[in-house]
Amino acid sequence: MRIRDAYVIGIASASFFMSYFSRLAWSIVSSYSTLKPTIIEDSVVFSLFFIGYVVVQVPAGLVSDRVGPKYVVMASLIGLAASSFVSGMANAMWVEYVASLFMGLSAGWIYPATVKLLTISFRGPELPVAMGYYSIAWPLSIVLAGATLPEICTVLGWRWSYYIIALTSIIIASLYVPTNVRGYGGNARGALNLKLLRNSDVMVVSLSGFLFFMSYWTITLYAYKYFLSIGLTTTLPASPTHS
C-alpha cells in the first residue's frame, strides 16, 4: 500500500472513529458526572445527539459532492471539538442538551464525507480493502471507550474526557490540510430519487437496520450504567499478591 493511500485511509478512519467515540462517551462519562443525570436525562442527551446526527445525513452527502469531502470533514471535526468542549464545561443539564444536539449536528457529516473521500481515492479492488480498514474504526471506538474513559474520569475527572475528545478532533482536522483530494463532484448535479422509498428491498433493508441499531445502541448506551446500578464497581480489584 502506498504511503498516500495509507494516510487517506488513516485520517478517514480516525474521523469516523471520533464520530462514534463522541456519541459513546456520555454513556460512560455520565456515571461520573457531577451533574448526576437521571436515566431520563441520559436518554434526552442521547436522543438529541441522534436527532442532530440523522438530520444532516442527506445534506452531508450532497455538500460533499459539491465542495469536496476534505473541507466537510474538517469543518465537522472542528464543530465536534467545539461542542465537546462545551459539554465538558457544562454546569447544568440543559447545557449538556444543547452541546449534545450540536455534537450530533457536527458528527453526522463525517460518515458520508469520509465514504465519499474513500470512493474518489480508490478504484476497483482497492476500494473494498480500503472500506474494510475504515470499518474497523467503529468497533474499535467501542472497545477503547470502555478501556479508557473510566480511567480518565477516575484519574483526571469526567470533564477531561470531553476535553481530550475536543483536542483529538482538532488534531485530526489539521491532518487534512496537506491532503490534495481531486475528482469529486461527479454527482454534484444528481437529484434525490425518492422513488427508492417505495422499493420493497430498500424497505426491508431499512427496517432490518433499524431493528439492529435499536438493539445495539440500547445495549451500548445503557449497559454501563445498568451494571453500576446493580453493584458492579467501576474498577477491577487489584490482583492478590502471594508471599
Side-chain angles (χ1 to χ4, degrees):
M1 179 180 293
R2 298 182 299 271
I3 294 177
R4 187 262 181 192
D5 293 343
Y7 189 86
V8 170
I9 294 173
I11 59 175
S13 300
S15 305
F16 187 34
F17 173 93
M18 292 310 301
S19 74
Y20 250 81
F21 195 87
S22 62
R23 71 183 96 162
L24 287 167
W26 183 254
S27 63
I28 295 175
V29 171
S30 65
S31 300
Y32 301 86
S33 173
T34 53
L35 303 179
K36 301 187 183 303
T38 65
I39 293 295
I40 299 300
E41 289 172 328
D42 279 342
S43 300
V44 174
V45 171
F46 297 144
S47 295
L48 287 171
F49 182 100
F50 284 104
I51 287 172
Y53 192 90
V54 169
V55 164
V56 300
Q57 289 294 292
V58 173
L62 296 175
V63 174
S64 295
D65 276 338
R66 286 167 170 76
V67 304
K70 168 182 174 178
Y71 302 106
V72 172
V73 180
M74 290 179 67
S76 301
L77 288 168
I78 292 171
L80 184 61
S83 54
S84 296
F85 184 79
V86 171
S87 193
M89 293 286 291
N91 288 313
M93 281 306 301
W94 72 266
V95 180
E96 288 291 358
Y97 294 158
V98 174
S100 186
L101 176 61
F102 279 94
M103 199 180 295
L105 289 169
S106 299
W109 296 77
I110 292 175
Y111 178 74
T114 49
V115 168
K116 177 69 176 181
L117 176 64
L118 293 177
T119 57
I120 62 179
S121 300
F122 299 93
R123 292 288 187 272
E126 290 183 336
L127 180 58
V129 175
M131 289 301 299
Y133 286 120
Y134 171 83
S135 298
I136 296 173
W138 72 267
L140 183 61
S141 69
I142 298 173
V143 173
L144 291 184
T148 62
L149 290 178
E151 188 71 16
I152 292 171
C153 291
T154 301
V155 176
L156 300 176
W158 69 275
R159 298 181 188 277
W160 274 96
S161 297
Y162 283 112
Y163 298 154
I164 291 172
I165 290 172
L167 177 60
T168 305
S169 298
I170 291 294
I171 292 172
I172 296 172
S174 68
L175 295 177
Y176 280 86
V177 174
T179 60
N180 184 17
V181 180
R182 298 178 179 178
Y184 62 86
N187 298 319
R189 297 183 180 179
L192 292 177
N193 185 2
L194 297 179
K195 293 181 179 179
L196 288 174
L197 298 177
R198 294 181 291 181
N199 186 295
S200 59
D201 292 335
V202 172
M203 294 299 294
V204 169
V205 171
S206 299
L207 179 61
S208 301
F210 172 82
L211 294 174
F212 166 74
F213 280 105
M214 182 175 68
S215 59
Y216 158 67
W217 279 112
T218 298
I219 295 171
T220 303
L221 296 176
Y222 294 102
Y224 186 79
K225 202 159 195 175
Y226 170 74
F227 289 141
L228 293 182
S229 71
I230 62 176
L232 296 181
T233 61
T234 58
T235 56
L236 294 174
S239 301
T241 57
H242 300 283
S243 58

